[in-house]
């Protein structure tokens, strides 16, 4: 028979039932005509199934030779709330359950609560009781990147198998780790949380995808740092200049252009070749004291001769808007970090962390290599997707709208033209406004004319960061010009 359940709300157990009370065993009472309760098959089946249910539900197999299976089953069930001790290493985590799990126990929904011994630095795995190693993913269903698991904190991991994730093979999803960075999926609605990778205008490097070339698509290198071709990027070839900085097609998904930097075919000069972008003080100060991440795409030309000399360096100083070409003489200037990745003829994305000194007020990024021997037809390096982020991980490149990127470049350099022609008179003038407010009052140079040779006598006047004027004492004023406010 089925036993009648008693309420657990009572403060104490009720008195023993009197003989004959339905649902309970009772002692016989011959005088009262009450026989002894004799269990029937229904009762035996009920007890058997009630005891077997938690054993089988815990994943164990019933074994008639063992007499502690119910106790072990209860312990298994409570493993979900048991805090285990991690005995693995950083990025490779393991812990022992009591009783130990079997491979059959590793199924979707299994939850492990683990006290982490070592902070992770990248992709990680978890292997309970020395069983198979499954990768740990975040709530965004991507592999961990670093800092999600924190030493001394408790992590909650749930086994899962999700179509399209890890090739459909099992993973552990990190539900939470106190003090750890939490991975989230990219937001798609107005009230969703936003992942770092969705943030915009987080990259202080301007023209990092090499789309803007107001000065022209190619620039012959000089023996001093000079701006040419790609906006915001100065370039040099030491000793004897026999090379070029040019805008080239990238042949890379999501990027149209790249920087091409190197020697001309047949060149024999082996002087240092480099390209540089200097940040002004207003853009450098927000990075003070932060561990930042520099990332970029790079590859070598078919005849690249620089070998292991290729380097990417972040330079830090404590001056205010000092000249880019004189970075080595910046106030307290020094390298904040350098990397020498190995370039191949295939595109690769490189990233590394750089600690920005606390007193930094100016930063520069320098790519360089030292060629050897005589140059072949493609003794170049190719760079694009340059990004400097104010946190210690690399996220997807921030593709700003091209109109915004151009406006940012025009803060430092702009080209334009204006013309006025009159038939009489001895003096005339005209004025205009810049498309973008300049970093500082620009140096303006006339580079061409619209109407007649008389425009060669035009004089710039009244130049500010926002506007300019042109005067002429003959019959025309104006011309094609450049306005340069570069560092």
């Amino acid at each position: 028979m089925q036993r009648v359940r008693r309420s657990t709300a009572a403060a104490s157990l009720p008195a023993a039932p009197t003989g004959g009370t339905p649902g309970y065993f009772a002692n016989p009472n011959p005088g009262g005509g009450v026989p002894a309760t004799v269990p029937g098959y229904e009762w035996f089946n009920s007890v058997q199934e009630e005891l077997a249910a938690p054993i089988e539900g815990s994943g164990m197999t019933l074994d008639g030779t063992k007499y502690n299976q119910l106790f072990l089953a209860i312990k298994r069930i409570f493993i979900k709330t048991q805090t285990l001790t991690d005995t693995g290493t950083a990025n490779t985590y393991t812990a022992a359950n009591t009783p130990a799990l079997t491979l059959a126990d590793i199924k979707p929904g299994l939850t492990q609560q683990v006290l982490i011994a070592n902070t992770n630095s990248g992709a990680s795995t978890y292997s309970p009781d020395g069983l198979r190693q499954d990768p740990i993913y975040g709530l965004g269903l991507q592999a961990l990147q670093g800092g999600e698991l924190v030493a001394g904190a408790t992590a909650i991991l749930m086994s899962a198998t999700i179509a399209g994730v890890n090739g459909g093979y099992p993973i552990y999803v990190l539900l939470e780790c106190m003090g750890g960075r939490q991975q989230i999926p990219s937001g798609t609605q107005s009230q969703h949380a936003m992942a770092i990778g969705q943030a915009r205008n987080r990259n202080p490097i301007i023209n990092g995808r090499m789309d803007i070339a107001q000065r022209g698509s190619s620039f012959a290198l000089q023996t001093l740092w000079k701006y040419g071709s790609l906006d915001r990027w100065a370039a040099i070839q030491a000793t004897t200049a026999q090379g070029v900085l040019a805008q080239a097609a990238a042949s890379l998904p999501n990027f149209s252009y790249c920087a091409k930097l190197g020697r001309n075919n047949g060149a024999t000069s082996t002087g240092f070749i480099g390209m540089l972008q200097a940040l002004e003080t207003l853009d450098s100060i927000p990075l003070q004291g932060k561990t930042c991440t520099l990332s970029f795409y790079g590859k070598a030309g078919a005849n690249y001769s620089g070998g292991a000399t290729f380097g990417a360096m972040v330079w830090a100083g404590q001056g205010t808007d000092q000249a880019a070409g004189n970075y080595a003489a910046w106030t307290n200037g020094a390298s904040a970090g350098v990397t020498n990745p190995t370039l191949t003829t295939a595109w690769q994305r490189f990233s590394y962390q750089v600690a920005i000194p606390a007193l930094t007020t100016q930063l520069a990024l320098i790519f360089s290599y030292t060629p050897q021997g005589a140059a072949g037809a493609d003794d170049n390096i190719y760079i694009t997707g340059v990004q400097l982020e104010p946190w210690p991980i690399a996220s997807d490149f921030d593709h700003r709208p091209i109109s915004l990127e151009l406006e940012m470049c025009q803060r430092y350099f702009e080209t334009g033209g204006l013309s006025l022609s009159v038939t009489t008179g001895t003096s005339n003038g005209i004025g205009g406004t810049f498309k973008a407010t300049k970093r500082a009052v620009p140096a303006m140079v006339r580079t061409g004319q619209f109407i007649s040779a008389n425009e060669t006598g035009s004089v710039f006047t009244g130049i500010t960061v926002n506007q300019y004027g042109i005067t002429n004492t003959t019959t025309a004023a104006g011309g094609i010009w450049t306005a340069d406010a570069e560092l």
Side-chain angles (χ1 to χ4, degrees), residues 467-484:
Q467 62 188 20
Y468 63 94
I470 304 175
T471 62
N472 198 315
T473 57
T474 57
T475 59
I480 303 172
W481 48 260
T482 60
D484 191 337

Side-chain angles (χ1 to χ4, degrees), residues 238-279:
T239 310
T240 302
Q242 297 176 329
V244 65
L245 172 66
Q247 184 186 55
S251 300
L252 178 69
N254 301 318
F255 293 90
S256 297
Y257 298 104
C258 64
K260 170 186 173 181
L261 177 70
R263 293 191 297 173
N264 302 326
N265 188 15
T268 57
S269 173
T270 55
F272 158 96
I273 297 176
M275 58 185 288
L276 170 155
Q277 182 170 146
L279 305 185

Side-chain angles (χ1 to χ4, degrees), residues 362-438:
Q362 214 176 345
L363 290 167
L365 171 59
I366 306 164
F367 294 106
S368 65
Y369 79 98
T370 302
Q372 299 177 22
D378 190 10
D379 188 5
N380 302 291
I381 60 172
Y382 297 85
I383 303 290
T384 195
V386 183
Q387 185 157 269
L388 183 64
E389 300 177 85
W391 39 68
I393 60 170
S395 63
D396 292 343
F397 183 80
D398 181 8
H399 287 273
R400 290 187 284 251
I402 189 68
S403 58
L404 176 58
E405 203 76 32
L406 175 59
E407 182 180 351
M408 295 171 73
C409 290
Q410 288 174 332
R411 173 174 169 79
Y412 301 87
F413 180 85
E414 183 180 327
T415 183
L418 196 62
S419 181
L420 172 68
S421 180
V422 296
T423 57
T424 60
T426 59
S427 177
N428 57 87
I430 192 170
T433 57
F434 296 121
K435 296 174 183 175
T437 299
K438 300 293 172 278

Side-chain angles (χ1 to χ4, degrees), residues 342-360:
T342 300
L343 297 180
T344 69
T345 54
W347 283 109
Q348 300 175 78
R349 193 184 193 204
F350 303 100
S351 67
Y352 79 104
Q353 294 180 0
V354 55
I356 307 300
L359 300 179
T360 296

Side-chain angles (χ1 to χ4, degrees), residues 45 62 80 104 136 161 189 219 229 237 251 265 277 280 297 330 334 338 422 442 454 463 473 480:
N45 286 337
L62 290 172
K80 290 186 177 181
I136 304 174
T161 301
Q189 300 293 335
F219 169 68
S229 184
Q237 183 173 13
S251 300
N265 188 15
Q277 182 170 146
E280 62 180 291
Y297 292 88
W330 284 0
V338 63
V422 296
N454 289 328
I463 305 171
T473 57
I480 303 172

Side-chain angles (χ1 to χ4, degrees), residues 14-39:
T18 59
T21 301
Y24 291 87
F25 293 104
N27 288 324
N29 184 355
V34 178
T37 302
V38 179

Side-chain angles (χ1 to χ4, degrees), residues 281 283-290 314-319 330-332 334 336 355-364:
T281 294
D283 289 326
S284 301
I285 286 176
L287 303 181
Q288 289 176 340
K290 293 185 177 180
V314 175
W315 188 266
Q318 296 175 8
W330 284 0
T331 302
N332 296 325
I356 307 300
L359 300 179
T360 296
T361 55
Q362 214 176 345
L363 290 167

Side-chain angles (χ1 to χ4, degrees), residues 145-223:
Q145 295 178 294
E148 296 92 348
L149 298 168
V150 177
T154 299
I156 301 176
L157 303 168
M158 177 180 286
S159 180
T161 301
I162 303 171
V165 178
N166 191 36
Y169 292 101
I171 62 172
Y172 284 96
V173 177
L174 176 61
L175 302 181
E176 183 179 1
C177 183
M178 293 174 287
R181 298 180 179 90
Q182 184 65 281
Q183 182 191 110
I184 60 173
S186 296
T188 59
Q189 300 293 335
S190 61
Q191 298 301 311
H192 288 180
M194 182 178 71
I196 281 179
Q198 292 182 284
R200 291 292 177 257
N201 297 326
R202 63 185 184 273
N203 181 17
I205 300 297
I206 299 174
N207 201 25
R209 65 188 187 193
M210 314 300 173
D211 290 325
I212 313 297
Q214 294 185 84
R215 297 175 176 87
S217 60
S218 183
F219 169 68
L221 299 180
Q222 300 182 30
T223 56

